[in-house]
């Protein structure tokens, strides 16, 4: 069964600092990979996704993520964090075939301090 | 114009009651989902419908019954509510059954059972 691990429950960074949120997955083949953001009181918004091809994907709001097959990882990065980035971030995977369901990680809560 | 809308946004009810959460999408998508987000922020899929047909039915109590009157609506009906049903429920939709297209989520319905 597929699974997603986000090892960091809570991360605090200073505004303007760089950010990396970790995501590791477990699946027999390379799944489709996603990062979602959930702002307080908001629904989930898709930041970026990886299906195939270039392993470095660009998303909205200045985020990017790099797929590393050897490490089964799909870490999310941002070079300079803004206060408005404070939110909960979820990594998710979808197997590449058939009727699929999205499996989410447990989330990483990002706090941004001035 | 809201893409995926859920009503109500907040729902407080007593144990044993029956309640429904409505979801509508105006994106013309074929597939709709219901997710439950527990107190630890973990998101788990409950149901998936494609063109009014049930595709995914995870292990949820029989008290939960999805109803899809048409492709644009997927309502969640819950009978005999229990304290453990307290959670945030998210509706989502996507264009294809693989969920590989961009999935749009509603803002969530916070259900509190007292």
């Amino acid at each position: 069964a597929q699974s997603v691990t986000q090892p960091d429950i809570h991360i605090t960074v200073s505004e303007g600092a760089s950010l990396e949120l970790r995501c590791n997955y477990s699946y027999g083949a390379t799944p489709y990979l996603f990062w979602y953001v959930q702002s307080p009181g908001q629904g989930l918004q898709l930041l970026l996704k990886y299906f195939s091809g270039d392993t470095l994907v660009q998303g909205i709001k200045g985020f990017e993520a790099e797929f590393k097959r050897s490490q089964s990882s799909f870490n999310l990065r941002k070079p300079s964090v803004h206060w408005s980035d404070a939110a909960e971030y979820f990594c998710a995977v979808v197997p590449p075939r058939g009727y699929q369901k999205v499996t989410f990680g447990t989330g990483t809560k990002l706090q941004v301090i001035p | 114009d809201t893409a995926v809308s859920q009503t109500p946004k907040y729902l407080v009810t007593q144990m044993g009651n029956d309640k429904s959460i409505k979801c509508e999408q105006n994106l013309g998508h074929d597939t709709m989902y219901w997710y439950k987000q527990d107190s630890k922020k973990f998101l788990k899929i409950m149901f998936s419908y494609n063109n009014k047909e049930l595709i995914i039915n995870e292990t949820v109590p029989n008290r939960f019954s999805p109803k899809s009157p048409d492709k644009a609506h997927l309502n969640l009906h819950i009978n005999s509510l229990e304290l453990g049903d307290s959670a945030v429920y998210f509706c989502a939709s996507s264009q294809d059954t693989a969920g590989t297209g961009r999935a749009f989520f509603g803002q969530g319905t916070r259900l509190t059972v007292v």
Side-chain angles (χ1 to χ4, degrees), chain A residues 2 4 6 21-25 31-37 45-51 57 65 67 73-76 89-96 100-105, chain B residues 33 35 94 96 98-105:
Chain A
Q2 63 202 45
V4 182
Q6 293 180 247
L21 302 182
R22 296 184 290 166
C23 172
N24 293 94
Y25 67 89
Y32 297 136
L33 298 155
F34 305 79
W35 273 100
Y36 288 87
V37 59
Q45 182 182 21
L46 181 66
L47 284 175
L48 46 78
K49 59 188 176 185
Y50 172 79
F51 292 167
V57 294
F67 167 62
S73 69
F74 188 57
N75 295 346
L76 181 71
Y89 291 80
F90 293 90
C91 181
V93 300
V94 175
Q100 306 301 349
K101 59 186 179 183
V102 183
T103 299
F104 287 88
Chain B
Y33 313 80
Y35 285 83
S94 66
D96 55 51
T100 54
R102 177 175 177 173
F104 288 80
F105 283 79

Side-chain angles (χ1 to χ4, degrees), chain A residues 32 34 36 38 41-46 49 51 88 90 94 98-102 104-106, chain B residues 9 33 35 37 40-43 45 55-56 58 90 97-103 105-107:
Chain A
Y32 297 136
F34 305 79
Y36 288 87
Q38 182 180 19
Q42 304 294 315
L44 290 157
Q45 182 182 21
L46 181 66
K49 59 188 176 185
F51 292 167
E88 192 110 22
F90 293 90
V94 175
Y99 289 120
Q100 306 301 349
K101 59 186 179 183
V102 183
F104 287 88
T106 50
Chain B
K9 191 172 181 179
Y33 313 80
Y35 285 83
Q37 185 178 40
K40 296 181 180 179
K41 299 289 187 178
F42 183 68
L43 279 147
I45 191 168
I55 300 301
I56 294 173
E58 288 298 292
F90 284 97
T97 56
T100 54
R102 177 175 177 173
F105 283 79
Q107 289 195 322

Side-chain angles (χ1 to χ4, degrees), chain B residues 2-113:
Chain B
T2 304
V4 181
S5 61
Q6 297 177 228
T7 54
K9 191 172 181 179
Y10 299 97
L11 180 57
V12 181
T13 187
Q14 289 185 323
M15 284 176 55
N17 285 348
D18 303 338
K19 290 293 178 184
S20 292
I21 306 172
K22 295 184 178 180
C23 179
E24 176 182 6
Q25 55 99 359
N26 61 6
L27 300 165
H29 286 169
D30 292 330
T31 308
M32 296 184 71
Y33 313 80
W34 274 107
Y35 285 83
K36 179 180 179 181
Q37 185 178 40
D38 63 23
S39 58
K40 296 181 180 179
K41 299 289 187 178
F42 183 68
L43 279 147
K44 184 177 180 181
I45 191 168
M46 302 172 69
F47 303 101
S48 168
Y49 266 73
N50 174 255
N51 279 319
K52 298 170 56 180
E53 179 186 353
L54 181 64
I55 300 301
I56 294 173
N57 184 359
E58 288 298 292
T59 306
V60 298
N62 291 336
R63 300 180 293 102
F64 289 80
S65 55
K67 295 285 192 300
S68 182
D70 54 58
K71 201 173 75 167
H73 295 83
L74 181 62
N75 303 324
L76 183 65
H77 189 75
I78 315 171
N79 290 327
S80 303
L81 277 156
E82 300 177 357
L83 293 177
D85 298 332
S86 296
V88 181
Y89 293 84
F90 284 97
C91 177
S93 74
S94 66
Q95 178 57 45
D96 55 51
T97 56
T100 54
R102 177 175 177 173
F104 288 80
F105 283 79
Q107 289 195 322
T109 296
R110 181 175 294 278
L111 171 65
T112 303
V113 182

